[in-house]
């Protein structure tokens, strides 16, 4: 009789539960809206919302997508770049809550940044004054920025100006500027890509990962 233990089977999706819960919430929100037949604009963050101080849409727009393809693209992006961030925050209740808040704050910062850039572009005649923003890509970009710091620190929070972060930052800016200039709209059902939100959300995650990690109680993981 062999004393060798049978190999342990690995889970099909090896991702932290707070991250999987976030993706499930995005899927359920889109399924619910589709079932109701509600238009995305009903939950979007718009120029009118900004003018009238309707701040709730800063967060509701994150859970609204133009199509299932749009949702799938963002879900894959979130799964890829959210896993390291969620693991850093921890799988306990405190870490999960901080991770979810971090996601929403990055998304809100991306939306406000988009609004600021859109206002300047409208004054210069380079874009419309009336706009509506939907989708989690700004928040997902924040997870990407945070993961850049973790890659720089090899699992800990590395410096903002390291080589890995610099390369990732330049690549992300170039990709999004190309999307903005060419008008390509992959997975958005023809809606313009919010490249401004992508870039500004990225910087929000890049900067805020340190303070949010401290809120999650992982001070020892910060490297300078």
């Amino acid at each position: 009789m062999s004393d060798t233990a049978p190999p342990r089977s690995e889970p099909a999706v090896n991702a932290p539960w707070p991250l999987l819960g976030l993706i499930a919430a995005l899927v359920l929100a889109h399924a619910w809206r589709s079932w109701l037949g509600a238009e995305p604009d009903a939950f979007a963050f718009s120029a009118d919302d900004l003018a009238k101080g309707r701040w709730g849409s800063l967060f509701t727009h994150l859970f609204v997508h133009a199509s299932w393809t749009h949702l799938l693209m963002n879900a894959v992006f979130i799964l890829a770049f959210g896993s390291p961030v969620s693991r850093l925050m921890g799988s306990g209740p405190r870490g999960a809550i901080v991770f979810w808040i971090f996601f929403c704050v990055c998304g809100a910062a991306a939306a406000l940044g988009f609004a600021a850039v859109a206002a300047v572009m409208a004054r210069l005649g380079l874009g419309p004054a009336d706009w509506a923003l939907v989708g989690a890509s700004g928040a997902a970009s924040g997870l990407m920025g945070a993961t850049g710091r973790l890659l720089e620190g090899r699992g800990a929070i590395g410096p903002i100006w390291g080589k890995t972060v610099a390369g990732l930052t330049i690549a992300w800016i170039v990709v999004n500027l190309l999307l903005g200039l060419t008008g390509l709209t992959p997975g958005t059902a023809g809606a313009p890509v919010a490249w401004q939100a992508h870039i500004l959300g990225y910087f929000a995650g890049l900067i805020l990962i340190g303070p949010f990690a401290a809120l999650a109680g992982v001070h020892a993981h910060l490297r300078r």
Side-chain angles (χ1 to χ4, degrees), residues 2-220:
S2 175
D3 292 331
T4 303
R8 295 175 59 186
S9 59
E10 293 295 329
V13 179
N14 187 19
W17 74 263
L19 175 62
L20 296 177
L22 173 62
I23 293 173
L26 294 172
V27 172
L28 289 173
H30 184 73
W32 176 72
R33 184 187 65 78
S34 300
W35 180 69
L36 290 178
E39 292 296 324
D41 285 355
F43 306 95
F45 176 60
S46 67
D48 189 53
D49 290 330
L50 182 64
K52 296 179 179 178
R54 294 193 291 256
W55 304 115
S57 58
L58 275 173
F59 304 100
T60 60
H61 86 277
L62 299 173
F63 296 87
V64 180
H65 290 83
S67 65
W68 282 106
T69 302
H70 186 204
L71 171 62
L72 178 62
M73 291 178 65
N74 277 339
V76 171
F77 194 23
I78 290 168
L79 184 63
F81 291 104
S83 291
V85 180
S86 183
R87 288 194 182 97
L88 176 76
M89 301 295 185
S91 59
R94 179 180 178 181
I97 291 170
V98 171
F99 173 71
W100 293 331
I101 294 174
F102 177 74
F103 175 85
C104 290
V105 168
C106 286
L112 289 173
F114 172 90
V117 175
V120 172
M121 292 180 67
R123 290 193 188 97
L124 297 174
L126 299 175
D130 189 23
W131 46 263
L133 189 65
V134 297
S137 55
S141 298
L143 295 176
M144 182 183 186
T147 295
R149 295 278 302 276
L150 296 178
L151 291 173
E152 188 71 51
R154 297 182 180 180
I157 301 175
I160 291 179
W161 304 115
K163 291 182 180 179
T164 300
V165 170
L168 189 62
T169 301
I170 293 169
W172 192 233
I173 291 173
V174 170
V175 166
N176 280 282
L177 289 179
L178 287 175
L179 289 175
L181 291 172
T182 61
L184 293 175
T185 59
T188 62
V193 170
W195 58 269
Q196 307 96 320
H198 296 174
I199 293 174
L200 293 163
Y202 173 90
F203 279 105
L206 194 72
I207 294 168
L208 294 177
I209 182 61
F212 273 88
L215 285 175
V218 288
H219 309 267

